[in-house]
Amino acid sequence: FPLSFASLNGDDFGLSVTSVCCSQAEFNGNPDSLFFNDGKRRIDFVLVYEDESKHASEKKGSQRRREFFEGSLMNLGVELEAAQSVMDEKLVYVKVHVPFEVLCTYAEVLHIKLPIQPNDLAQQSSTYNCFTRHFYPSEDVIAKEPDFFTAPFRKDQLKCFYVKDREQFFTPAVRSRMAYYILSRAPYDVKGSMKKFGISKLLDGGVYKAAYPLHDSRFNVKSKEPGCPNERFLLYNEWAHPKSFYKMQPLDLIRKYFGEKIGIYFAWLGFYTVMLTLAAAVGLGCFIYGYTTRESSTWSKEVCDPQIGGEIIMCPQCDKICPYWRLNTTCESSKRLCVFDNYGTLVFAIFMSVWVTLFLEFWKRYQAELEHDWDTVEFLQQEEQPRPEYEAKCIYERVNPVTQEKEKVPHTACGKCMRVSCGISTVLFWVLLIIASVVGVIVYRLAMFITFSAKLRSDLKYSKELEPFKEYVTPQMATSITSSIISFIIIMILNNVYEKLPRTKTEYENSLTLKMFLFQFVNYYSSCFYIAFFKGKVVGYPGKPVYWFGAFRNEECDPGGCLTELTTQLSIIMTGKAVWNNIQEVLLPWVKNLIFRHCTQVGSEKVIPRWEQDYQLQPIGKLGLFYEYLEMVIQFGFVTLFVASFPLAPLLALFNNLCEIRVDAWKFTTQSRRVVPEKAQDIGAWQPILQGVAILAVATNAAIIAFTSDMIPRLVYYWAFSVSPYSDGSEHTMTGFINSSLSIFYIDHFNNESRPTVDTPYWFNNITTCRYRDFRNPPGHPNQYEYSIHYWHVIAAKLAFMIVVEHIVYFTKFILSYMIPDVPEALKEQIKRERYLTQVILHETNIKHFKELMKPVADNLLDDIEEPELDLKL
């Protein structure tokens, strides 16, 4: 059997255009059967095509390629059996069986590790498992997987391996993986040096309609087939069913049924969810602290006090049509701000910086334990073969720098440079498009704020139905909510549009991961970064405002800052994203399957075979798991990057993840065809992305506390400006902070473009000044309207806070990373011990096998040698 398909030509198969077709077989009436009609040969894969004999002659090209492809498979030793569809006479199902000898060949090609002897060493119990073992499914229902010493398979050393039953030696998942490897590389058209191969291209070209391995049973009914493990049924009842929401995931069974790649994803998602419970509990405590102290805050008391906030007249926030307004109209928004802008938030932000480090470090340890348990410790690139799409494009030669031998590559150095340039240009184009959309939303905010300021207050004033909402619905709040909804809609649109040649599949996904995450990072977080770090920062002052494009006056924050608006933006995007993703993952597959079953329903007297039942399900797609990771990593960014403004983000993420685990489990077990099992050692390129987000989160949260919240100005006032020489008081106090944080503007200094033209309120009598949010010198000062000494004190304190907090947190993260090893010492010793024992077992088995081979020779020599004193016994 050929070990590489890249060098094959038509003569290797002895095939003509009309190749030998597979045999036809009638359905034997057993709906649970996973075997050919003889009941002995297991179905490792199923191919589905539409019979072209029922259609016009232009389909003959597809028939020729299909026959060539199936002939190629049969020449490679693969056995095929066709069956006419019970439900649709146009469909034909080709059942694929890979015999034991062929499996042995490709197990060696793929370096698959297989058992050589039961492992009788005592297993190390992890700290994580000590907390979670009480929530696992009972071992009476899901038996514990036996542990073995394993080694990469070699066909010439078959006797060294633990083969009790040839048919059970390779698990169904491993059989499907090797069957897909063969299907992905078998040629379907060979013309001279031009080779076309792979089931993927045949699926894209419509030659086949589907290709998939079989589920072992129905998800809600046990199979009646003798010896069937009913793993799908167990996974549904103990994992995907809503009644099991409190149980830990049966990761060993998930890995066995779906493969290591899906297993490691659900292991990461489960670990992330468990760690979120701690962050959610602390965040909820911070929220409760802020909520219970909002009424007692000196800042909110002064804003809501009619004698203080009611007497402070604020300058208009837009040109001409915006009126003067009293500060106490923002009383309710001030109370809401105090829920999130308090000292508890500072403590929680620092806690989350430590939490994310502990999460990543303990995940590495848990991942190392999974690598050991799932036998992927030594999963190297040699075990992962080149992608078929890569092999098809290998037309150039180069000298391998390691082996110094010639090898085929898909492009030259110049071609690679061009591809990289095109890739960067594409990503840059989409990033600029996102920035343009953010600018569009900003322009909307500026325009709608003017509209809301002019009409909303008058509508509330003269409408009795809306009178109770007058204190809650402000122009700022209306603008914030509507712009957040529009931002979310734009995010989802751009996300769906954007989703429409490295060597291995892992490298391919890693490359795609970096590009997609860069796009998603800008797409999801750009509006939040604008509100947190740009809005209200460069607005000028009432007599000299700053304009966008010379037409739109830059928007200001509320007197309490932009933190409330950032919280609103985060809550809308996080909630909307969770709802939308669940609709996509639950509702759409269910509706598609329902429509498909309705369109193809047959009489109740007909029995539907297993392969036709699976055909009715939805395919997962090549990058289905990629988008699952992307969804969770984007959520991880919301939980960590802006948690200083929204302590409830971990709680929302926890609720979402508890649903996400069961929704994904339900989707994989009930609504989707069985995926091709894939090997994986870790979460790939997502690990460094998570580490990068964790590092960035320290800077963003420190900047939010310093520049977005009012915590630093309040501390500066309390420790410096509430006492002499800046105040007459002798004790540190927060009384008078509101007055000190608002600058004075003389209304006669308005220019003609910004002077209010609306009717002044009844209480606006003989008032010559108004207030605005800034630290500037008052009118009449030698440097009027320039930044005051208070401003520079605050800026210095903000910068000092950022530098000190960042260095302390980064140092703490470094110490924690150093103190927590990635692999537990006990596990290291156990891995070394198992590796040593494996080598000993292989060595002893080889010696034993050699003795068995040489024993007849030694016996013959003993019979021929006359000297009895010569000992030739082995």
Side-chain angles (χ1 to χ4, degrees):
F1 303 100
L3 301 187
S4 173
F5 292 98
S7 60
L8 295 177
N9 55 51
D11 297 334
D12 293 320
F13 297 93
L15 300 173
S16 63
V17 173
T18 56
S19 303
V20 179
C21 293
C22 57
S23 60
Q24 294 279 340
E26 293 293 332
F27 174 47
N28 60 11
N30 183 1
D32 296 325
S33 177
L34 302 175
F35 296 86
F36 281 16
N37 273 13
D38 57 14
K40 297 179 181 179
R41 292 173 293 174
R42 185 182 185 88
I43 300 173
D44 298 317
F45 229 84
V46 174
L47 308 177
V48 186
Y49 70 88
E50 193 170 340
D51 191 354
E52 288 87 358
S53 63
K54 309 257 192 304
H55 299 281
S57 59
E58 64 258 17
K59 296 290 185 179
K60 293 298 182 183
S62 297
Q63 182 178 351
R64 179 184 61 81
R65 282 178 288 176
R66 186 179 64 254
E67 291 177 351
F68 194 106
F69 180 72
E70 292 175 3
S72 303
L73 293 174
M74 296 172 71
N75 276 270
L76 290 170
V78 176
E79 298 176 3
L80 308 176
E81 182 181 83
Q84 199 74 29
S85 172
V86 174
M87 303 172 62
D88 186 351
E89 62 178 9
K90 295 181 295 184
L91 295 179
V92 178
Y93 294 85
V94 180
K95 295 169 280 186
V96 178
H97 169 75
V98 185
F100 183 78
E101 290 297 325
V102 182
L103 289 172
C104 290
T105 299
Y106 287 101
E108 184 172 352
V109 172
L110 297 174
H111 303 273
I112 293 177
K113 290 184 176 181
L114 292 168
I116 55 176
Q117 183 176 306
N119 186 347
D120 54 358
L121 294 178
Q123 296 295 315
Q124 297 288 337
S125 179
S126 69
T127 306
Y128 176 70
N129 287 336
C130 291
F131 288 105
T132 59
R133 64 187 178 190
H134 302 291
F135 299 95
Y136 279 101
S138 171
E139 291 189 6
D140 296 333
V141 179
I142 299 180
K144 188 176 181 181
E145 291 294 320
D147 195 16
F148 291 91
F149 292 110
T150 61
F153 183 79
R154 287 185 59 182
K155 192 175 181 180
D156 58 350
Q157 295 182 345
L158 180 60
K159 291 190 175 182
C160 297
F161 290 86
Y162 190 75
V163 186
K164 294 182 65 176
D165 183 355
R166 288 165 63 98
E167 296 303 321
Q168 301 296 326
F169 181 56
F170 297 102
T171 65
V174 172
R175 295 178 68 101
S176 299
R177 178 185 167 199
M178 288 190 282
Y180 184 73
Y181 177 83
I182 298 172
L183 293 171
S184 299
R185 287 157 175 81
Y188 61 85
D189 196 2
V190 179
K191 295 180 180 178
S193 60
M194 180 66 68
K195 298 174 286 292
K196 296 181 180 180
F197 53 85
I199 187 64
S200 297
K201 289 188 176 180
L202 293 177
L203 289 170
D204 294 339
V207 178
Y208 288 100
K209 297 178 70 67
Y212 50 89
L214 291 179
H215 286 294
D216 65 348
S217 66
R218 297 175 64 183
F219 70 86
N220 55 352
V221 179
K222 280 190 175 183
S223 172
K224 297 179 182 179
E225 189 76 6
C228 179
N230 290 295
E231 292 173 348
R232 185 189 186 194
F233 176 80
L234 292 175
L235 285 172
Y236 174 72
N237 278 279
E238 300 297 326
W239 179 42
H241 198 281
K243 69 179 182 181
S244 303
F245 76 95
Y246 66 94
K247 294 183 180 179
M248 299 298 293
Q249 303 179 91
L251 293 176
D252 289 336
L253 185 58
I254 296 171
R255 188 267 306 184
K256 180 183 177 183
Y257 192 75
F258 291 114
E260 286 80 4
K261 190 170 186 179
I262 290 181
I264 201 73
Y265 163 72
F266 280 105
W268 177 82
L269 181 57
F271 186 83
Y272 173 42
T273 304
V274 170
M275 291 292 291
L276 269 177
T277 55
L278 176 61
V282 179
L284 182 61
C286 176
F287 173 80
I288 293 173
Y289 167 78
Y291 185 80
T292 54
T293 58
R294 73 190 191 284
E295 299 285 352
S296 59
S297 169
T298 304
W299 186 79
S300 64
K301 282 183 178 179
E302 291 188 351
V303 171
C304 298
D305 190 344
Q307 302 302 318
I308 301 177
E311 298 297 327
I312 296 178
I313 309 303
M314 301 297 295
C315 298
Q317 293 182 306
C318 65
D319 295 337
K320 295 185 178 181
I321 64 174
C322 289
Y324 296 96
W325 51 286
R326 288 176 172 174
L327 181 61
N328 66 347
T329 58
T330 62
C331 176
E332 293 301 324
S333 62
S334 300
K335 292 179 181 178
R336 288 195 299 270
L337 179 65
C338 290
V339 175
F340 302 103
D341 191 0
N342 52 67
Y343 298 119
T345 303
L346 172 61
V347 175
F348 183 59
I350 296 175
F351 165 80
M352 285 300 294
S353 299
V354 176
W355 174 88
V356 73
T357 303
L358 294 175
F359 164 66
L360 293 175
E361 293 302 318
F362 282 120
W363 163 248
K364 291 178 185 177
R365 292 171 64 87
Y366 183 50
Q367 183 174 258
E369 294 172 4
L370 291 177
E371 290 174 15
H372 168 257
D373 294 341
W374 294 353
D375 209 15
T376 59
V377 174
E378 297 175 348
F379 177 63
L380 304 175
Q381 188 175 2
Q382 292 91 321
E383 300 177 54
E384 187 176 24
Q385 300 299 316
R387 294 188 306 124
E389 295 84 354
Y390 176 90
E391 291 181 335
K393 296 181 179 181
C394 290
I395 57 176
Y396 302 101
E397 285 190 349
R398 73 159 189 176
V399 177
N400 189 298
V402 178
T403 63
Q404 295 299 312
E405 296 179 355
K406 288 185 178 181
E407 66 175 4
K408 294 283 187 178
V409 293
H411 38 66
T412 61
C414 180
K416 184 176 181 179
C417 181
M418 291 293 295
R419 289 172 62 85
V420 171
S421 300
C422 290
I424 293 175
S425 300
T426 302
V427 174
L428 184 61
F429 167 77
W430 282 100
V431 169
L432 292 176
L433 182 62
I434 295 169
I435 294 175
S437 70
V438 173
V439 173
V441 173
I442 293 172
V443 172
Y444 165 84
R445 298 170 66 97
L446 300 176
M448 292 309 296
F449 178 75
I450 297 174
T451 304
F452 285 136
S453 297
K455 297 183 177 181
L456 187 61
R457 284 193 175 95
S458 60
D459 292 344
L460 292 174
K461 180 178 180 181
Y462 296 109
S463 176
K464 294 182 178 180
E465 293 81 4
L466 300 177
E467 182 69 22
F469 303 99
K470 183 171 64 176
E471 295 184 358
Y472 300 94
V473 182
T474 63
Q476 293 91 342
M477 181 59 68
T479 304
S480 174
I481 293 176
T482 56
S483 61
S484 297
I485 294 173
I486 292 174
S487 295
F488 170 71
I489 294 173
I490 292 175
I491 285 170
M492 301 314 297
I493 291 174
L494 290 176
N495 182 36
N496 290 329
V497 171
Y498 186 75
E499 291 176 0
K500 301 268 180 230
L501 186 74
R503 181 165 185 163
T504 65
K505 185 174 180 65
T506 297
E507 290 177 355
Y508 171 74
E509 291 191 0
N510 288 349
S511 174
L512 179 65
T513 296
L514 296 174
K515 294 175 185 176
M516 181 62 82
F517 180 75
L518 177 61
F519 168 80
Q520 298 283 20
F521 184 90
V522 179
N523 192 23
Y524 276 101
Y525 303 140
S526 54
S527 58
C528 296
F529 273 98
Y530 163 74
I531 295 173
F533 306 122
F534 296 99
K535 182 186 175 184
K537 300 300 185 290
V538 185
V539 295
Y541 58 93
K544 192 177 179 180
V546 176
Y547 292 90
W548 278 71
F549 310 113
F552 297 100
R553 178 172 168 175
N554 203 357
E555 58 181 335
E556 303 175 22
C557 295
D558 280 336
C562 289
L563 200 65
T564 304
E565 190 169 345
L566 179 59
T567 303
T568 303
Q569 179 86 0
L570 286 170
S571 58
I572 289 177
I573 292 180
M574 283 191 69
T575 306
K577 180 175 177 293
V579 172
W580 176 253
N581 287 334
N582 284 325
I583 289 175
Q584 282 188 313
E585 294 183 9
V586 177
L587 191 59
L588 291 183
W590 180 77
V591 170
K592 287 180 180 179
N593 288 336
L594 188 65
I595 294 174
F596 186 88
R597 285 194 296 268
H598 177 74
C599 294
T600 57
Q601 70 181 68
V602 296
S604 58
E605 72 280 356
K606 288 192 176 181
V607 179
I608 310 301
R610 172 83 267 139
W611 49 86
E612 290 201 49
Q613 296 176 40
D614 285 7
Y615 178 66
Q616 297 177 22
L617 302 177
Q618 295 297 309
I620 286 292
K622 296 179 181 178
L623 296 174
L625 201 60
F626 169 83
Y627 291 114
E628 299 292 345
Y629 270 118
L630 184 61
E631 176 188 346
M632 288 296 102
V633 172
I634 293 296
Q635 182 207 86
F636 180 80
F638 281 120
V639 168
T640 55
L641 291 174
F642 306 101
V643 74
S645 66
F646 192 33
L648 292 180
L651 185 63
L652 289 181
L654 175 62
F655 289 149
N656 176 74
N657 287 7
L658 291 174
C659 295
E660 183 73 21
I661 290 175
R662 305 305 163 183
V663 165
D664 286 345
W666 177 81
K667 180 177 66 175
F668 275 104
T669 56
T670 69
Q671 302 300 306
S672 304
R673 297 170 190 160
R674 188 172 181 177
V675 297
V676 180
E678 294 183 48
K679 200 85 169 176
Q681 187 178 25
D682 49 37
I683 61 175
W686 298 111
Q687 184 74 29
I689 286 176
L690 292 173
Q691 292 173 336
V693 170
I695 293 173
L696 180 61
V698 177
T700 56
N701 284 300
I704 287 173
I705 293 173
F707 294 99
T708 308
S709 76
D710 256 1
M711 187 173 299
I712 301 303
R714 289 201 297 267
L715 290 174
V716 170
Y717 176 81
Y718 181 82
W719 291 106
F721 285 86
S722 64
V723 294
S724 179
Y726 300 105
S727 177
D728 297 333
S730 58
E731 295 183 358
H732 297 285
T733 179
M734 284 299 297
T735 303
F737 170 72
I738 288 296
N739 186 61
S740 71
S741 65
L742 299 175
S743 299
I744 302 173
F745 182 76
Y746 191 52
I747 60 177
D748 287 343
H749 292 169
F750 274 117
N751 55 41
N752 293 330
E753 288 76 16
S754 58
R755 186 182 301 276
T757 58
V758 296
D759 295 336
T760 56
Y762 69 91
W763 40 261
F764 193 81
N765 295 320
N766 300 322
I767 294 178
T768 58
T769 61
C770 61
R771 310 296 291 271
Y772 61 98
R773 175 186 166 84
D774 211 340
F775 297 103
R776 292 179 183 266
N777 294 318
H781 191 277
N783 297 317
Q784 67 177 3
Y785 303 134
E786 298 293 329
Y787 288 120
S788 65
I789 189 66
H790 196 157
Y791 171 83
W792 298 111
H793 273 77
V794 170
I795 288 295
K798 288 181 176 181
L799 295 176
F801 172 83
M802 276 204 64
I803 293 172
V804 171
V805 169
E806 280 187 358
H807 280 70
I808 291 175
V809 174
Y810 281 136
F811 180 74
T812 304
K813 288 167 68 70
F814 172 78
I815 293 298
L816 289 173
S817 300
Y818 179 78
M819 293 177 59
I820 303 174
D822 293 347
V823 182
E825 289 298 324
L827 183 59
K828 285 183 180 179
E829 297 298 325
Q830 186 168 358
I831 290 173
K832 291 178 182 179
R833 175 66 177 167
E834 291 182 2
R835 191 175 297 161
Y836 167 75
L837 291 178
T838 300
Q839 293 174 348
V840 170
I841 292 169
L842 286 175
H843 179 68
E844 292 178 349
T845 305
N846 285 328
I847 291 177
K848 181 179 179 181
H849 183 52
F850 178 76
K851 286 182 177 181
E852 291 176 354
L853 292 176
M854 295 301 298
K855 191 174 186 306
V857 178
D859 292 342
N860 291 334
L861 288 176
L862 282 174
D863 295 339
D864 296 339
I865 294 176
E866 297 180 356
E867 293 85 351
E869 66 275 5
L870 186 61
D871 186 10
L872 292 178
K873 291 184 178 180
L874 293 174

